[in-house]
Amino acid sequence: MKKKFFDLQLFTDGGEGGTGGGTGTGTAGNGNGSQNNAGGAAYSYEQAEQIAEARADRATKAALADYFKKQGMSEDEVTAALADFKAKRAAQHPGVAAVEKERDAALAQVEEMKNTGYLRDKGVKPDDIDYVLFKVGKNVDDKADFKKAADAFLKENPRFTGQGYRVVSTGKPDGGAGTGQTVNDSINASIRSAFGR
């Protein structure tokens, strides 16, 4: 992340964009992410931002406390009202971490839907999709994306696409030579004879 630096000396010397009342003060980097002014004080954008936020927060609290007091609230009521205001404002403005977490969950859900569609297109049965997603997911890395990992897994395990098992008929009857009977015919004949039919 690129850091931004301000010439804070500009604000202390007065003036808006022009030179201040002192000698020409420039900034020079010191190599550690902060800047030095002519007086030797070091500062960074992050430090300046923290100071500005703290000052704005104090100003907001002071303005609200003044408003609440004018409404006739006691000190305890003002304190409670400030805490309530702070909690409501935080609820309306979720933190960056919460937004990023929500975004990552949505992206993961979209990715899973894409992967599920890919497996369906490959012929994976609906009952097996969750298992295949899990197994393929373990093989995804920098060298193999989901599609490559899925292709490799399904090549090694064709049964998940319905191609692993085939019923092959030899056409040879099992009822004896020249009888033309199959195993089912033999069983049916045995049952009939047992019941006298």
Side-chain angles (χ1 to χ4, degrees), residues 107-148:
L107 289 174
Q109 190 174 10
V110 169
E111 191 67 24
E112 185 175 341
M113 288 171 60
K114 279 196 222 174
N115 295 342
T116 300
Y118 184 76
L119 293 178
R120 275 197 198 107
D121 292 345
K122 287 289 187 178
V124 176
K125 294 170 277 190
D127 291 343
D128 295 329
I129 283 184
D130 287 339
Y131 177 76
V132 174
L133 276 171
F134 171 74
K135 293 300 274 184
V136 171
K138 291 173 77 174
N139 297 325
V140 173
D141 56 22
D142 294 339
K143 296 178 183 177
D145 63 2
F146 182 85
K147 290 182 179 181
K148 285 182 183 176

Side-chain angles (χ1 to χ4, degrees), residues 94-112:
V96 174
V99 171
E100 287 177 348
K101 185 178 178 182
E102 190 175 318
R103 179 205 61 199
D104 292 344
L107 289 174
Q109 190 174 10
V110 169
E111 191 67 24
E112 185 175 341

Side-chain angles (χ1 to χ4, degrees), residues 38-57:
Y43 52 87
S44 68
Y45 173 77
E46 287 79 8
Q47 290 170 328
E49 189 175 38
Q50 287 174 355
I51 292 167
E53 284 178 3
R55 183 165 289 183
D57 190 43

